[in-house]
Amino acid sequence: MKIPYYPGCTLNTVSKGFDLSARASARSVGFEMEELAQWNCCGATFPLSPDNLIALSAPAKVLANARKGGEELTTLCSVCYNVLKRTNAVMKGDKEKRSVINGFINEEYDGSLSIIHYLEILRDKVGFDKVKAAVKKPLTGLKTGAYYGCMLLRPFEDRGIDDSERPVIFEDMLKAVGAEPVEFPNKIECCGAHLAMSNTGLVTKLSGNVMTSAADNGAEIIVTSCPLCQYNLEQSQTALASATGDYKPMPIIYFTQLLGLALGQPVETLGFEKNVWDAMPLLKKKGLA
Amino acid sequence: MKIRLSGADIDGPRVKHIERVTGEDLKHCYQCGKCSAGCPVSYLMEVPPSRVMRLLQLGRVDDVEAANTMWVCVGCVQCYARCPKGCSVASVLEGMRQIQLRKGTGPTLIKDIPIPFLRKAPQQALVCGFRKFVG
Ligand code: SF4
Ligand code: SF4
C-alpha cells in the first residue's frame, strides 16, 4: 500500500526525526509513504476569518498537486493536517470560494481528496492489532503522556481525528506498542502555539500547565505530533525546573519515534539527539535502549 | 460602570464590518460564559471571550479594540468547540486582528521578535506567527 505524503516545511528540516521514523515505521507495518513530487508550505494556519481567501491559496495548491497523483493524502504534523483538511472542506463545499481560489492558483481542484493523518492510517487502514503484531520491542512499563494539543482535534465537525473532548487514538496506539498511557487533564489544552513569537510568558505558562499536569499524573515521557507543541513544551521545562525545585524535566518526543523504537528501528536512527531533554537515560533505565 | 448605549452603534457600520469579516452573527451569543471558562488565556485577557461578544452586541467596538484580547488569543478554537450556540469567538478575534493588520496597525514589530527564537523555532511557528500577527 502506497500513500501520498505531504511532509510540510518543519518535517523537512528541524523535525527530520519525525519524518524519518514515520517512514521507517510505515514500512514495518506494511505501507509506503510516497512524498509528493511537488509541494509548498501550507501556510501553517487555517484562516478563521472566512473572507481571507488568499490564505487558502497555498494549501489549495498543495491539494491540487496531490490530487493529480492519487485520491488520498497523509501528513504527520498536526497543523498541516488541520490546514489541509479544513481547506479541503472549503474546496469541496463552497462553490463560490472554490471558483475564486482555483482561478487564482490556476487549477481545477474539487475537494475530492481524502486527508488522513498517519495515526488514522494506523487505526483505520493498518489496524492497531497489526501494529501490535509487528512490535519487536514492547515498551513495557513506559509511562507515556499523549499530548494532543489543539489542531488534531478542533474544530470537530467531521474533521477532527477523534472525539474532541475525550480522544483515545493516541492512547490506543501507545497500548499497541506496549507502553502505558497516562491520562492527564491538560492533554487537549493549548501549548501557547505561535505566541512563542510574541509572548514567551504566556507560552511558558500554558505549556508549563500541560507539563505539570502530565508529571502529576505520573508521565515519564511525552509524545506529540506537532513540532510547535514539541518546541513549546521543551522550552517551558527550563522555566519550570528553575521555578520549582522539585520539577524534573522529561523528554518530549514525536509519537513515531516511540513507534519506531517498538518496531525495532535502531535507536540511533530515531533522531533523539535533537531533543533538548534527552530521552536516552530514561530508555536505558527501562531497558529499551 | 456606566455604559451609554445607542442604536446607531449597535446596528452601526463598524459592527456590520466585523460581522462581514468574521462571518459570525454576534447576536447568537446568549452569554453562557462557556467560552471564557474553556479559554486557556482568559486569565490574561483584559476582556475575556464572552465579554467580547457582549460588548460587540452593544456596539462597543472601541472597548474590544483597546483590550489586549485579540493579541493574546492563541487561536486554539476551544471557545468554538464548547459554545452551545455555535459562535466562534476565535473567528471574531481573528477577524478583528485582520481588520487591524489590513490597515497596517498591528502591534507586533519584527524587530522585537527575539533572535534566539528566530534561530531555533520550527518554521511553522514563524509562518503562523507572521500570518496571525504581522499580516
Ligand atoms: S460560549 Fe457561545 S453563547 Fe456562550 S458566551 Fe461564549 S460565545 Fe456566547
Ligand atoms: S481561540 Fe482564543 S478566545 Fe478562543 S479559547 Fe482559544 S485563546 Fe481563547
Side-chain angles (χ1 to χ4, degrees):
Chain A
M1 174 166 62
K2 277 191 179 169
I3 302 187
Y5 163 54
Y6 172 76
C9 316
T10 310
L11 268 78
N12 236 18
T13 49
V14 293
S15 304
K16 199 69 198 159
F18 192 7
D19 169 275
L20 292 175
S21 56
R23 289 182 197 241
S25 301
R27 284 191 288 274
S28 310
V29 296
F31 70 101
E32 186 75 34
M33 298 164 77
E34 207 167 35
E35 183 172 335
L36 296 179
Q38 176 71 294
W39 58 265
N40 52 270
C41 172
C42 70
T45 170
F46 180 83
L48 298 174
S49 44
D51 74 337
N52 191 1
L53 295 189
I54 191 79
L56 293 176
S57 56
K61 189 78 186 174
V62 172
L63 298 171
N65 275 325
R67 184 68 183 87
K68 288 168 197 163
E71 286 170 359
E72 46 192 18
L73 181 65
T74 188
T75 185
L76 285 156
C77 165
S78 309
V79 176
C80 297
Y81 172 72
N82 185 285
V83 173
L84 294 179
K85 202 159 180 184
R86 297 193 73 184
T87 304
N88 203 42
V90 174
M91 295 304 277
K92 191 170 186 175
D94 192 321
K95 232 169 112 187
E96 216 171 296
K97 286 184 184 168
R98 171 166 70 223
S99 137
V100 176
I101 296 165
N102 272 334
F104 188 78
I105 61 174
N106 200 23
E107 301 279 1
E108 283 301 330
Y109 179 63
D110 59 358
S112 56
L113 210 55
S114 132
I115 312 294
I116 34 177
H117 191 266
Y118 190 94
L119 280 169
E120 291 174 297
I121 300 181
L122 294 181
R123 180 188 61 191
D124 304 333
K125 286 180 179 274
V126 175
F128 286 136
D129 49 337
K130 290 234 177 68
V131 175
K132 190 173 177 184
V135 167
K136 297 211 170 71
K137 195 193 283 175
L139 307 178
T140 315
L142 192 62
K143 296 198 180 74
T144 312
Y147 177 62
Y148 289 83
C150 308
M151 293 294 132
L152 280 182
L153 301 170
R154 294 189 285 270
F156 49 88
E157 327 104 342
D158 77 9
R159 294 187 201 125
I161 199 169
D162 202 350
D163 187 283
S164 71
E165 295 283 352
R166 289 180 183 274
V168 295
I169 187 168
F170 248 136
E171 285 81 0
D172 288 347
M173 189 221 83
L174 290 171
K175 283 182 206 152
V177 297
E180 192 181 314
V182 168
E183 266 307 322
F184 63 106
N186 285 49
K187 72 179 187 180
I188 64 164
E189 294 292 333
C190 184
C191 69
H194 55 280
L195 265 92
M197 185 172 102
S198 53
N199 195 331
T200 327
L202 183 151
V203 173
T204 307
K205 176 159 171 74
L206 297 196
S207 284
N209 290 345
V210 171
M211 290 314 301
T212 43
S213 158
D216 290 348
N217 286 281
E220 301 167 307
I221 186 167
I222 298 288
V223 292
T224 167
S225 74
C226 175
L228 183 49
C229 296
Q230 200 271 347
Y231 174 82
N232 282 341
L233 295 181
E234 277 199 332
Q235 297 296 317
S236 79
Q237 293 195 104
T238 314
L240 271 184
S242 61
T244 64
D246 56 353
Y247 180 83
K248 293 209 174 29
M250 65 181 95
I252 295 149
I253 65 170
Y254 297 110
F255 72 94
T256 53
Q257 293 176 303
L258 214 54
L259 178 65
L261 185 69
L263 293 172
Q265 289 162 33
V267 74
E268 61 280 3
T269 64
L270 293 168
F272 287 132
E273 68 284 352
K274 287 217 171 179
N275 293 347
V276 173
W277 307 102
D278 191 6
M280 292 309 283
L282 174 69
L283 297 178
K284 281 192 181 133
K285 194 174 109 194
K286 298 272 168 181
L288 298 167
Chain B
M1 183 174 78
K2 244 190 202 162
I3 296 185
R4 275 184 72 88
L5 301 179
S6 92
D9 285 343
I10 292 173
D11 286 322
R14 291 178 75 196
V15 172
K16 291 268 166 313
H17 182 50
I18 290 172
E19 288 195 323
R20 185 172 60 70
V21 174
T22 65
E24 293 294 311
D25 185 340
L26 299 163
K27 297 194 177 61
H28 278 173
C29 165
Y30 59 12
Q31 288 293 294
C32 66
K34 282 188 87 173
C35 51
S36 296
C39 172
V41 196
S42 277
Y43 79 96
L44 197 67
M45 290 175 170
E46 284 153 5
V47 175
S50 51
R51 201 174 315 156
V52 165
M53 298 301 273
R54 192 59 172 157
L55 287 169
L56 294 177
Q57 286 172 342
L58 299 176
R60 307 280 301 187
V61 180
D62 285 338
D63 292 350
V64 181
E65 278 185 355
N68 66 353
T69 305
M70 65 175 120
W71 305 109
V72 293
C73 161
V74 276
C76 69
V77 207
Q78 191 66 279
C79 46
Y80 173 58
R82 293 193 175 156
C83 174
K85 293 284 287 171
C87 304
S88 173
V89 188
S91 296
V92 170
L93 294 171
E94 173 136 327
M96 292 189 75
R97 270 196 306 273
Q98 281 288 320
I99 290 171
Q100 299 300 316
L101 296 176
R102 289 173 196 181
K103 286 191 287 196
T105 50
T108 313
L109 296 179
I110 309 254
K111 73 171 177 56
D112 295 337
I113 300 173
I115 299 287
F117 172 76
L118 290 175
R119 287 225 175 88
K120 279 192 299 182
Q123 283 78 351
Q124 71 185 107
L126 298 173
V127 178
C128 179
F130 276 71
R131 284 214 156 167
K132 293 270 193 197
F133 293 146
V134 184

